[in-house]
Amino acid sequence: LCFISYFRSSNMLPFFGCRMLRLTLKHGMCQDSVLGLAMFAGSICIGTRQIPVIREMCRVGKAIEKLLKRFDSSAILPMVYVAYYGHVVMYTAPLQLCVDNLRKGFEVGMSSGKYVFAAFFCSINIVRAAFLSGQNLSTLLKEADYHIQVMTQFRNKMSIRYITAFRETISIL
């Protein structure tokens, strides 16, 4: 529900993140708490362009990294990486670091059966972040083609549209 609201009504994302954090405060820390923190930080960064706020969300991100090590995070890793490396850290860390971790999230998601998050969200953010990082355009074009091929196998039409838009831009350049 949270990730669907990203496309339908992104102003609802902070609500979902806060709700997950409220449940964490009430019932204690668990694996999904890490996802709640990542969603909260990611949604705040999506909704603001204020550098102090983004820096603060990056501090939350450091806690997310430590908590991922604490819990067996393979089930939530693709979702957390999309929120964290796709929307928080990309403002303060080298974009190549974000691309590498989004690729890791994609691989973990594909191997663990989290196809929706791996194929859809990681793929889009990989191509976007790689493009912004200045990756070699011919290499990026091949990677975009690969992700479009994977999306086609899973009949993920929405992600095909997004990646195709990036692919067309890359091919023009």
Side-chain angles (χ1 to χ4, degrees):
L1 183 63
C2 302
F3 288 98
I4 293 170
S5 71
Y6 174 79
F7 293 100
R8 302 297 280 168
S9 180
S10 61
N11 58 343
M12 291 297 292
L13 285 175
F15 169 77
F16 291 123
C18 287
R19 178 73 176 139
M20 290 178 82
L21 292 177
R22 185 173 181 209
L23 290 170
T24 296
L25 292 173
K26 185 176 181 180
H27 299 288
M29 193 64 98
C30 70
Q31 181 176 336
D32 291 325
S33 302
V34 180
L35 178 58
L37 277 170
M39 283 180 37
F40 174 75
S43 64
I44 296 299
C45 287
I46 289 169
T48 188
R49 296 292 179 241
Q50 298 175 6
I51 299 299
V53 174
I54 292 171
R55 283 193 188 125
E56 196 64 32
M57 291 304 104
C58 287
R59 288 184 60 209
V60 171
K62 296 297 179 190
I64 293 167
E65 288 178 342
K66 291 177 183 177
L67 288 169
L68 278 173
K69 294 175 186 170
R70 181 177 174 191
F71 296 102
D72 174 31
S73 59
S74 61
I76 62 166
L77 190 107
M79 297 173 277
V80 170
Y81 274 22
V82 164
Y84 182 56
Y85 289 104
H87 299 290
V88 179
V89 177
M90 68 180 300
Y91 293 105
T92 58
L95 284 171
Q96 191 56 48
L97 172 75
C98 298
V99 172
D100 294 342
N101 282 297
L102 287 165
R103 283 186 183 126
K104 179 182 176 185
F106 176 78
E107 292 166 7
V108 169
M110 293 302 287
S111 64
S112 67
K114 300 287 183 186
Y115 303 120
V116 172
F117 297 104
F120 183 65
F121 294 104
C122 285
S123 287
I124 292 170
N125 282 289
I126 288 168
V127 174
R128 178 178 62 103
F131 178 71
L132 293 173
S133 73
Q135 185 173 326
N136 181 297
L137 293 177
S138 60
T139 305
L140 187 54
L141 196 60
K142 291 176 187 173
E143 186 166 14
D145 287 337
Y146 167 73
H147 286 286
I148 289 171
Q149 180 184 10
V150 171
M151 299 309 118
T152 303
Q153 289 175 350
F154 289 101
R155 298 184 195 112
N156 196 324
K157 293 177 184 175
M158 187 180 289
S159 58
I160 291 170
R161 281 186 235 137
Y162 279 95
I163 297 173
T164 300
F166 280 113
R167 189 201 181 287
E168 289 173 6
T169 303
I170 294 164
S171 67
I172 290 170
L173 297 174

